[in-house]
Each structure stands twice: as C-alpha cells, then as structure tokens.
Amino acid sequence: MSDKVYIFDTTLRDGEQVPGCQLNTEEKVRIAQAQEEMGVDVIEAGFPISSPGDFQSVVEIAKAVKEPIVCGLTRAVEKDIDVAAQALESAHRKRIHTGIGASDIHIQHKFRSTREEVLERGVHAVKYAKKYVEDVEFYAEDAGRADLNFLAQLTEAVIAAGATVVNIPDTTGYNLPWVFGEKIKFLMENVSNIDKAIISVHCHNDLGLATANTIAGLANGARQAEVTFNGIGERAGNTSLEEVVMTLKSHPHLNLETSIVTEKLYPMSKLVERLMRMPVQANKAIVGANAFAHSSGIHQDGFLKHKDNYEIISPDQVGVPESKIVLTARSGRHALKHRLENLGYVIEGKDLLDNIYEGFLDMADRIKQVEDHHLHQLATNSQVTLG
Ligand code: KIV
Ligand code: ZN
C-alpha cells in the first residue's frame, strides 16, 4: 500500500514572485482551475498582504475552486494573518501558511533577534492563525541551514500550538540530498508529537538539487512536496512539480504516490509558460522541447528498435503528443529511412538508401536540421516514389 504525497503547488506565490512572471487575477484564476483539474492538493494562491492585487487574486481563487485547499502566505505578524484570513473567507477548504526564519543567519541578520524570541513569535503566529482556520501550516524559513536541535524544538512547539503541517524549506538551495534526507529523518525520530502533523519539504534550486532534495525528504518521511510548474521561482527556481510527480511514478518501490493526472503535465507546463512569459529550456526534464527528442544516430537506431532503449517514460503519460526523431548530420540511415517512410516514400534496397543518405548528409551539414519539406525535396532529387 502506497503513502499519499500531497502536492502543494506554489506556482502562483513563489513562482509568481519572479520578475516578469506577474499575472493578473483572471490569469491566476485560469491557472488555479487547471491546478484543480489536474489534482493539485493545495494551491498557494498568493501573499494577500503584499498588494491589493494579490489580495484580490486570493479572493477570486478561493471562490473559483472547490476541491483543493487554498492557501495564503503570511509572515508571523498578526496583521498579515488577519488579511490572509479575510482573503480566504469564501474558500471551501482553506489554510494559512505562516512562519519565520529558523537559521541563526536569519535570526541574527534578518530579525536581529534570538532563538527564544523567534520560537515565541512562531508559536504565537500559529495560535493566532488558529483563531481563523483549523488548517495552519508553519514554515521554518531557511531550515536547511538551521541548527537541527533548534529546528526540532521549534517544530515540536508549533505542532503543540496547533500547526497541522510543518514546512522545512531549503530556502537557499544549499543542502546535499543525503544531508537534507537525514535532517528530515532526524525530525521524524526526535520530535515527540510529529504524528500530529505532516512534514512538508520546500526546496530551492540554487545548486540544481531541488528535486533531488525533495525526493530525499519524501523518502525520509515528509509527505507534502512544495513545487512549481516548470520549476519557476526565486533565483534559480523551486522544485519542479512535473519532476517530483514523475520521479515518484517512475520509482514505485518508494511506495509514494500523488493524485496528479500526469497526462495534464505538458499542457499545464505550456499554459504556465505562455501566461508567465517564461520560456521553458529545451532540455528541461519531462516538459522541455527535447525531453522526448532523439537526435544522434546511435540513439535513434536504438530507439527505433525498441523505445525502452532510450525512454524511461512514454510521452503520452505526460501529455506530450509523441517522441521525435530529429534529423541532423549526426543521424543515421535507420532514422532517415523511418522519417521518409512516415512521409509515404518506399525505400527499397541498400543502394537507394545509401544514395539518399549521401545527399542527406550534404544537406544536413548545410542546414543543420532537416525538416519534412527538405525530405520531400531530397526524395524528389533521388527519384524515390511514394508508396
Ligand atoms: O523558500 C522559502 O523559505 C519560502 C517560505 C516563505 C515558505 O518560500
Ligand atoms: Zn520558497
């Protein structure tokens, strides 16, 4: 029996903070509805006190979706919590996400405070938020660089105060996966009331380790992953939703599953790319333009013999229409024949194929990528007939 991992999608909060990615309320509601359709468990809709526009978007998202929990971010400040509670009023299921810095770096250089005072403020914020909602998530910002014993003490205190979820963020993307996994394990083993809350992981990608750290956290007991579409987010971004979901699906021995409808991953990635005007890099895992494209001769030959040779996920599982055989000067005869046959040409005999291949290499060296209309031209030049 697999354990459920809750998907907490912060595309509309941590993702939308990115310069150039700002959305209007209508666009945010559109994304929230798509998040609901694809089975996201928690939508972090915004940071209501940050601006009137963000407040209004949280209000509208709260009205627009039924199934997912709608969550609003706050600092550990009463006014923030009052405003978040007001924004969430009409939500069917609501959560306030409040918290404070937990590392000594943040405690000293951001809050100019002490561990004791920060713990007190955290506990107070949770109790204050509980006046409004049953479901309160606490974030221990920069937990990835916090003293582990203090983090355990803080986690225990906020759970005792009523936190239903405790978020352990690697805010600066500093941790190594096995170290982050050990930290989650330590909390699972040393916080006496840990069974009363869900541990959540929220990783940033400064060293390109966000997905690995999230998976390590889940493998060690966390049961909520905080993610964004296409991995957008502050600096180098957040953990990417599609990578976490497909990693868990591709490794069933982890016994962890999500409720995400994976066939909607690619269309959703495209929607976020378009509305947020943030292009997805071609080699991005799962949703990049090259994620299911095969271009070298050796790979193309192996793929055409059996797709399992070079694909661990089939494209239809994530909503990508099909794998692509890209023709370049690195492609071989097998790929060329396959593409010509797909266009309806009959290539009989090795000599004919050798002859076309020679022309193809000439052309590919000149134009880099050979498309269908080039293939028609090549076939005509070599007097190949349509079948
Ligand atoms: O990265 C972080 O620590 C955050 C918190 C506000 C949850 O985004
Ligand atoms: Zn973050």
Side-chain angles (χ1 to χ4, degrees):
M1 193 37 194
S2 289
D3 263 10
K4 159 128 180 172
V5 169
Y6 293 91
I7 294 296
F8 176 114
D9 184 353
T10 183
T11 302
L12 294 176
R13 199 277 299 170
D14 227 351
E16 210 252 354
Q17 287 174 208
V18 174
C21 284
Q22 278 65 46
L23 302 172
N24 61 36
T25 298
E26 200 184 312
E27 292 167 331
K28 286 188 192 173
V29 168
R30 173 117 190 259
I31 289 185
Q33 284 166 332
Q35 286 170 320
E36 175 167 39
E37 275 171 34
M38 71 182 308
V40 163
D41 299 289
V42 186
I43 297 173
E44 189 161 49
F47 182 11
I49 200 157
S50 66
S51 75
D54 218 36
F55 177 89
Q56 199 48 38
S57 297
V58 177
V59 170
E60 296 305 327
I61 291 169
K63 288 189 208 151
V65 301
K66 282 202 170 54
E67 208 38 53
I69 294 169
V70 180
C71 177
L73 185 81
T74 82
R75 294 166 296 181
V77 170
E78 288 187 1
K79 180 80 187 136
D80 282 29
I81 297 170
D82 294 335
V83 172
Q86 205 187 329
L88 291 168
E89 226 157 59
S90 21
H92 295 258
R93 301 171 72 200
K94 52 186 107 168
R95 176 182 296 177
I96 289 178
H97 188 192
T98 189
I100 192 163
S103 67
D104 288 336
I105 299 175
H106 276 217
I107 293 171
Q108 285 164 25
H109 303 303
K110 188 169 148 183
F111 299 103
R112 306 202 195 294
S113 184
T114 60
R115 288 183 186 174
E116 294 70 29
E117 203 179 278
V118 155
L119 188 141
E120 225 171 86
R121 282 172 65 180
V123 165
H124 177 73
V126 170
K127 287 187 177 158
Y128 192 79
K130 282 297 254 199
K131 292 197 320 189
Y132 290 112
V133 292
E134 179 43 41
D135 192 2
V136 175
E137 174 167 340
F138 177 82
Y139 64 85
E141 194 181 5
D142 203 22
R145 293 188 296 172
D147 175 89
L148 204 46
N149 286 310
F150 174 64
L151 189 60
Q153 201 190 338
L154 179 63
T155 303
E156 194 161 294
V158 294
I159 295 175
T164 45
V165 181
V166 182
N167 176 10
I168 307 297
D170 185 21
T171 304
T172 53
Y174 174 71
N175 280 247
L176 294 168
W178 53 95
V179 178
F180 192 65
E182 281 298 317
K183 288 180 181 177
I184 300 299
K185 186 164 182 248
F186 180 87
L187 295 177
M188 298 307 295
E189 289 172 355
N190 290 282
V191 172
S192 67
N193 51 5
I194 200 81
D195 56 317
K196 305 235 166 10
I198 290 173
I199 291 294
S200 183
V201 282
H202 174 120
C203 298
H204 280 263
N205 205 30
D206 299 67
L207 294 173
L209 295 171
T211 299
N213 283 338
T214 298
I215 298 297
L218 296 173
N220 282 284
R223 287 294 173 267
Q224 178 177 276
E226 307 202 1
V227 289
T228 62
F229 265 93
N230 302 335
I232 58 159
E234 288 277 0
R235 306 181 307 280
N238 285 55
T239 306
S240 125
L241 182 149
E242 59 277 10
E243 291 174 15
V244 169
V245 167
M246 291 316 293
T247 300
L248 297 183
K249 194 162 180 153
S250 305
H251 290 276
H253 59 276
L254 290 173
N255 283 328
L256 296 173
E257 62 184 20
T258 72
S259 303
I260 296 297
V261 181
T262 61
E263 290 76 10
K264 293 188 185 280
L265 288 173
Y266 181 69
M268 182 69 168
S269 157
K270 287 284 152 212
L271 179 70
V272 169
E273 177 182 47
R274 185 164 58 78
L275 294 182
M276 289 192 155
R277 298 166 297 276
M278 176 63 97
V280 174
Q281 72 199 55
N283 62 332
K284 169 80 184 62
I286 318 293
V287 293
N290 292 348
F292 297 94
H294 306 275
S295 56
S296 84
I298 295 173
H299 283 221
Q300 290 176 333
D301 181 57
F303 173 78
L304 289 170
K305 284 176 176 148
H306 199 297
K307 64 181 180 45
D308 288 358
N309 283 327
Y310 286 102
E311 278 184 357
I312 56 165
I313 295 167
S314 98
D316 53 293
Q317 257 188 306
V318 296
V320 171
E322 57 185 357
S323 306
K324 277 188 278 184
I325 296 287
V326 182
L327 292 180
T328 69
R330 304 290 153 263
S331 302
R333 288 171 179 73
H334 195 168
L336 176 63
K337 182 166 186 269
H338 169 83
R339 283 279 300 271
L340 282 166
E341 283 174 351
N342 274 357
L343 293 174
Y345 293 103
V346 184
I347 317 290
E348 264 165 8
K350 185 173 170 313
D351 287 351
L352 179 58
L353 183 58
D354 283 349
N355 183 317
I356 307 173
Y357 187 63
E358 215 172 285
F360 162 77
L361 283 182
D362 244 21
M363 184 184 254
D365 269 337
R366 268 185 291 114
I367 62 172
K368 309 298 177 212
Q369 195 164 315
V370 177
E371 307 291 353
D372 285 354
H373 64 278
H374 300 123
L375 290 176
H376 287 302
Q377 192 191 324
L378 199 64
T380 313
N381 293 349
S382 309
Q383 293 171 345
V384 182
T385 50
L386 283 165

